[in-house]
Amino acid sequence: MRVVKKFGGSSLRDTERVRAVAAHIAKAHSEGKGVVVVVSAMGKTTDELMRLAHEVSPQPDRRELDMLLTAGERISMALLAMAVRDLGVPATSLTGSQCGIITNDRPGAARIVEVRPYRVEDALTAGHVVIVAGFQGVSYRREVTTLGRGGSDTTAVALAAAVGAEACEIYSDIDGVYTADPRVIIDAHRLSSLSHDEMLELARAGAKVLAEDAVAWARLNRVALFVRASDGRPGETLVRLDPAEPHTGVVGVACRPDARLWTYPSGLRTGVLARLTEAGVTPLIDTVAPGDSALLLVARDVADGVDSLFGSLCDQIQATLGEAGSLSRGTLVSVVGTSVGRDPHLAARFDEVLGAFDTDAPRMSQGLTRSVIVDPAQADAVATALHDALVHKER
Ligand code: ASP
Ligand code: MG
């Protein structure tokens, strides 16, 4: 049996934790499993590298930025491999490029197009634990690329699919997927399971626990995900293949800061979408509203996590729309659930809850999500009220 285990930066933030992860891995290996481990950069290393880059250049060259950022995960993989070997377990570390993660060539936000895991297979066959640097790959032109913030999750899922792993386990300092951010909403509770579709919409809506691309890969390749705490606390969330009984109602509430919504005449839509495609951006919401207007919503990290790029993208959209588009900006607050898009009662309750807040921003339903943009100062209160009113306590 093969398993892919991914450890986030907080689980590797110092050498003591690196050794604790090594012990976990050695145990799985001793149980006879073929173990592939995907690591993130230690602690806040990626932020720190990003800061250094901006210190030497206000707009760092994208190629060189990728070169720099991939170093973070390399540090983790090498240290972890040393620690595992120290426990008498054979281990080999591999970069994204070495383990055949082939991406397109969009720097900073590359997409995995294929995985050729030959070296991973060889190392597993030789009985080694394979430790892979997450968040990175190589393009067909042999340029090193990064997969966007949180991209190590995507590496883990893509490898799990490529080596036919039984499970993909995501370890971090949080013990599962919650109905909302438990640091903000005290009543938030852990979900024992949810579907890929629900998880994908939660990630798009801003839930930080899993990267959106990772969930999309998992859904496409039918990979089950277990989200667990790395300190061994009991409890987990399973993002499952087939919802045995799809949940009705609302599975969670999520917020996404710095969202921009343009309402504009639908006649301009083709031109606007062409511009977004050029920039390689998938809008969060693109829909035609009643009365011949179109709605377009983008949020900061769709523009690959670099604020200056997001700003210039928004300027471009604004320039395309000119006077014709009206802009609301703020925090996007969304509720997610299988029936949310098609249950008029849920939509009515959502609007009722918002009635208590001073906002006339448009409400948007798309897929499994209903959302609104609110003043950032109100966002936590709106999210809490929606959670209280709409999330089932027993889930
Ligand atoms: N180290 C990268 C980041 O901080 C990738 C990851 O953690 O998944 O975004
Ligand atoms: Mg993460």
Side-chain angles (χ1 to χ4, degrees):
M1 175 198 164
R2 287 174 169 184
V3 63
V4 173
K5 293 170 179 283
K6 181 256 168 177
F7 290 88
S10 58
S11 310
L12 296 164
R13 68 177 172 272
D14 51 35
T15 49
E16 196 185 317
R17 283 183 180 76
V18 170
R19 287 170 48 207
V21 168
H24 171 120
I25 294 165
K27 181 163 174 287
H29 183 263
S30 74
E31 289 161 2
K33 293 177 188 155
V35 185
V36 177
V37 182
V38 174
V39 291
S40 291
M42 293 171 79
K44 299 262 173 251
T45 303
T46 306
D47 292 334
E48 179 58 19
L49 293 173
M50 197 77 106
R51 192 186 61 75
L52 286 176
H54 283 88
E55 237 171 71
V56 294
S57 161
Q59 293 246 34
D61 179 79
R62 299 296 306 164
R63 176 186 186 275
E64 302 307 332
L65 192 56
D66 273 2
M67 278 297 195
L68 178 72
L69 295 184
T70 53
E73 271 69 11
R74 270 197 189 219
I75 295 172
S76 301
M77 77 175 195
L79 288 176
L80 185 58
M82 291 171 195
V84 171
R85 282 178 169 267
D86 214 49
L87 299 172
V89 175
T92 305
S93 71
L94 295 173
T95 64
S97 147
Q98 286 176 313
C99 60
I101 309 267
I102 315 291
T103 71
N104 64 13
D105 55 10
R106 186 143 59 94
R111 285 280 158 86
I112 299 178
V113 286
E114 112 181 69
V115 181
R116 301 176 184 164
Y118 308 122
R119 293 198 63 182
V120 179
E121 290 288 351
D122 289 350
L124 285 174
T125 306
H128 282 227
V129 168
V130 186
I131 301 176
V132 174
F135 170 62
Q136 56 184 273
V138 66
S139 75
Y140 286 114
R141 291 192 226 152
R142 305 209 55 78
E143 288 290 359
V144 167
T145 52
T146 62
L147 307 178
R149 297 308 302 265
S152 298
D153 292 347
T154 317
T155 307
V157 176
L159 273 174
V163 304
E166 188 128 303
C168 182
E169 303 166 356
I170 309 281
Y171 292 89
S172 72
D173 51 4
I174 162 156
D175 58 357
V177 180
Y178 278 66
T179 53
D181 183 345
R183 285 164 305 187
V184 177
I185 299 181
I186 344 160
D187 276 347
H189 55 275
R190 194 181 58 236
L191 296 159
S192 56
S193 74
L194 74 170
S195 70
H196 281 102
D197 285 334
E198 289 169 326
M199 188 62 239
L200 187 59
E201 295 278 342
L202 272 180
R204 280 171 60 89
K208 282 276 169 286
V209 52
L210 288 173
E212 183 187 328
D213 276 359
V215 186
W217 260 89
R219 182 173 68 161
L220 191 69
N221 294 285
R222 305 181 53 72
V223 176
L225 302 172
F226 293 87
V227 182
R228 296 180 183 149
S230 55
D231 64 8
R233 252 177 294 162
E236 64 180 12
T237 298
L238 167 62
V239 185
R240 60 188 190 279
L241 291 187
D242 295 306
E245 43 193 76
H247 290 289
T248 53
V250 172
V251 40
V253 177
C255 294
R256 208 162 163 155
D258 206 358
R260 316 245 177 133
L261 173 76
W262 285 270
T263 310
Y264 65 98
S266 53
L268 297 174
R269 187 152 168 248
T270 318
V272 173
L273 294 184
R275 184 147 283 207
L276 282 173
T277 310
E278 235 167 70
V281 169
T282 315
L284 278 173
I285 291 181
D286 156 46
T287 175
V288 178
D292 232 15
S293 62
L295 298 177
L296 174 75
L297 181 89
V298 296
R300 188 174 48 218
D301 44 339
V302 295
D304 77 10
V306 177
D307 290 353
S308 52
L309 290 185
F310 181 63
S312 73
L313 173 77
C314 291
D315 292 346
Q316 280 182 41
I317 296 174
Q318 190 60 53
T320 311
L321 297 176
E323 298 282 282
S326 77
L327 171 67
S328 2
R329 53 189 295 179
T331 299
L332 183 75
V333 183
S334 308
V335 304
V336 174
T338 309
S339 55
V340 166
R342 50 188 154 77
D343 181 347
H345 299 293
L346 274 175
R349 301 232 19 226
F350 183 99
D351 296 354
E352 206 178 286
V353 171
L354 279 172
F357 296 88
D358 180 26
T359 168
D360 55 5
R363 325 276 144 93
M364 299 156 279
S365 287
Q366 180 166 288
L368 314 186
T369 305
R370 187 163 178 80
S371 330
V372 65
I373 289 191
V374 299
D375 184 329
Q378 277 188 321
D380 289 353
V382 171
T384 305
L386 287 169
H387 190 272
D388 279 355
L390 298 175
V391 175
H392 291 302
K393 302 284 178 274
E394 69 274 18
R395 280 198 63 184

